[in-house]
Amino acid sequence: SPWKPLLLLLSPPAFSTTCARCAKNRRLREKRAISERQLTRYFVDQRKVRVVGGHGGGGGHSFYSEPRKVFGGPDGGNGGDGGHVIFKADQRMKSLSSVFPFYQGFHGERGGSKNCYGANGAHMYVKVPLGTLVKEDGKVVADLTQHGEEYIAAYGGAGGKGNRFFLSNENRAPTLFTPGEPGQERVLHLELKTTAHAGLVGFPNAGKSSLLRAISRAKPAVAAYPFTTLNPHVGIVHYQDYEQVAVADIPGLIKGAHQNRGLGMAFLKHIERCRFLLYVVDLSVPQPWIQLQDLKYELEAYEKGLSERPCVVIGNKFDLAQSRINLPLLRERVAERVIALSALTGDNLEELLLHLRELYDAYVKTEKSQGQSPVKW
């Protein structure tokens, strides 16, 4: 009937806008904050990738023909080469989560008539973070540490030859032409080792994430209850002369981490690339110097000489009463420089920032004296 559209407009909606259940469903559909555990799926430091180069294009097979020129000869062009698969280091990439398990280069085009060569296949570029190791059968084949550094993971196949290529005085009308070669195929393992100037090393709940939030713009998860960070975070400390120092928050270690306990060796490898270490200990616990001894033991057990790198001891949670009692005791038993601060209140952060710059300047000077270029952010 002609009144049917009007009746549909006047009919009540299929759901109630005031129903408590519907209102609850609308609240559940709202975007929630991502927790630290959910963030782990966005940080990936290992990937198994199968790469295949593009196939080469086949050679052309044709003979030139035009009016009043019957025997024009062969004019089949060569096929184009297949494209490579290339890993390229990009400082904007922070994780291997965007790397897919399979890549293939573009194929080359087939050769045409009139001696036209086929176009080469385009290269497939795969962006990876700085500090990515490329391994094949357990052996390191590439170490991408500089921005823009490239590694050809799989070569594309060569293009086939057209019948024009086989023209000779003995064979004036060759019919032979070759197909394109298949691309190289490899299975590679990518492993990310965070490239940062300084590494925050400490046991869980020592305040590493809070300290990183205080000195940089990084936003690792912190809370009023004890828990441990589940993936590394890198923060950048900016200075007035435009120098930038990268500080990595390494997930908390525990006793036996070198034996793969807890998070284990999954994140001990991220400390290997750090040029100097910042040991973060909790001043409020009894005998905080025991934490420093255990941390050095774990690092030395994982890699010999790792605990001997330039370092500073940071006594965190100095705003607590027990920390003021433990500070002179810690300085008596520790040979390294001890900086007492509070990441929560921001007390004495200036001393840490000044000493961090001293460590960075010493690193740059050492690299330049050895003829090497220091890592810049």
Side-chain angles (χ1 to χ4, degrees):
S1 65
W3 300 102
K4 187 175 182 180
L6 183 59
L7 291 175
L8 291 177
L9 293 174
L10 296 177
S11 61
F15 62 92
S16 175
T17 57
T18 59
C19 177
R21 181 182 300 176
C22 296
K24 180 180 179 181
N25 291 337
R26 286 196 297 273
R27 289 196 302 268
L28 291 177
R29 286 195 298 267
E30 294 178 357
K31 186 176 180 180
R32 296 177 178 178
I34 299 178
S35 65
E36 178 69 22
R37 183 171 296 276
Q38 289 172 320
L39 277 172
T40 56
R41 62 183 177 182
Y42 296 102
F43 181 85
V44 179
D45 57 358
Q46 289 186 355
R47 269 281 194 260
K48 181 180 179 181
V49 183
R50 177 171 165 259
V51 289
V52 181
H55 296 285
H61 175 261
S62 62
F63 289 88
Y64 186 76
S65 177
E66 67 176 9
R68 295 182 298 276
K69 193 172 184 180
V70 181
F71 303 102
D75 65 349
N78 299 335
D81 298 331
H84 308 324
V85 178
I86 302 174
F87 292 146
K88 186 173 182 179
D90 192 335
Q91 63 184 6
R92 293 169 295 183
M93 305 294 293
K94 303 303 179 185
S95 170
L96 295 174
S97 58
S98 60
V99 177
F100 295 109
F102 175 75
Y103 288 97
Q104 184 172 25
F106 294 95
H107 303 318
E109 294 185 1
R110 184 179 182 84
S113 59
K114 298 182 180 179
N115 296 323
C116 291
Y117 283 31
N120 295 331
H123 301 318
M124 173 70 69
Y125 285 92
V126 182
K127 294 182 179 180
V128 296
L130 301 183
T132 300
L133 285 177
V134 184
K135 294 184 178 181
E136 185 178 19
D137 298 330
K139 298 181 180 180
V140 178
V141 295
D143 188 1
L144 306 177
T145 58
Q146 300 293 331
H147 177 70
E149 191 174 358
E150 298 180 358
Y151 172 70
I152 300 179
Y155 286 90
K161 303 298 183 182
N163 62 340
R164 170 73 181 184
F165 177 82
F166 299 98
L167 177 64
S168 64
N169 292 331
E170 291 78 15
N171 187 2
R172 305 303 299 173
T175 58
L176 178 63
F177 63 97
T178 59
E181 296 182 0
Q184 184 183 15
E185 182 174 353
R186 302 170 70 185
V187 177
L188 302 174
H189 293 266
L190 303 184
E191 181 178 326
L192 174 60
K193 294 185 178 181
T194 303
T195 302
H197 299 119
L200 294 173
V201 185
F203 285 110
N205 306 307
K208 301 184 301 298
S209 299
S210 300
L211 181 59
L212 186 65
R213 292 172 69 103
I215 64 177
S216 70
R217 295 181 180 178
K219 299 298 180 183
V222 295
Y225 51 87
F227 75 98
T228 184
T229 304
L230 297 178
N231 57 70
H233 295 268
V234 178
I236 307 299
V237 181
H238 300 269
Y239 290 92
Q240 291 183 353
D241 58 351
Y242 302 105
E243 285 288 352
Q244 298 179 352
V245 180
V247 181
D249 174 18
I250 310 299
L253 305 178
I254 63 172
K255 292 183 179 180
H258 68 280
Q259 299 175 348
N260 213 20
R261 293 179 181 175
L263 296 177
M265 293 181 293
F267 295 111
L268 272 172
K269 61 188 177 184
H270 292 282
I271 308 177
E272 295 181 27
R273 299 294 180 91
C274 297
R275 273 58 181 182
F276 39 91
L277 303 178
L278 308 178
Y279 294 103
V280 183
V281 296
D282 187 355
L283 281 178
S284 63
V285 301
Q287 299 181 341
W289 52 88
I290 301 297
Q291 290 188 1
L292 182 62
Q293 296 175 3
D294 294 338
L295 288 173
K296 288 188 175 182
Y297 174 77
E298 293 298 330
L299 297 183
E300 195 66 23
Y302 174 73
E303 181 181 343
K304 188 176 181 179
L306 188 59
S307 64
E308 300 175 359
R309 296 186 180 181
C311 64
V312 63
V313 180
I314 301 175
N316 194 18
K317 303 182 182 181
F318 186 62
D319 54 314
L320 302 178
Q322 185 63 33
S323 300
R324 301 180 184 276
I325 301 176
N326 292 334
L327 178 59
L329 301 177
L330 176 63
R331 285 176 171 166
E332 290 178 1
R333 291 169 172 79
V334 172
E336 294 83 4
R337 178 176 178 178
V338 179
I339 299 178
L341 54 82
S342 174
L344 180 63
T345 62
D347 293 341
N348 207 26
L349 286 178
E350 294 81 4
E351 183 180 354
L352 173 61
L353 295 176
L354 291 175
H355 187 66
L356 183 63
R357 180 58 189 271
E358 293 176 2
L359 292 173
Y360 174 75
D361 292 339
Y363 154 71
V364 172
K365 184 178 180 180
T366 303
E367 291 291 311
K368 291 183 177 180
S369 63
Q370 297 176 355
Q372 301 178 359
S373 58
V375 176
K376 296 287 186 178
W377 279 74

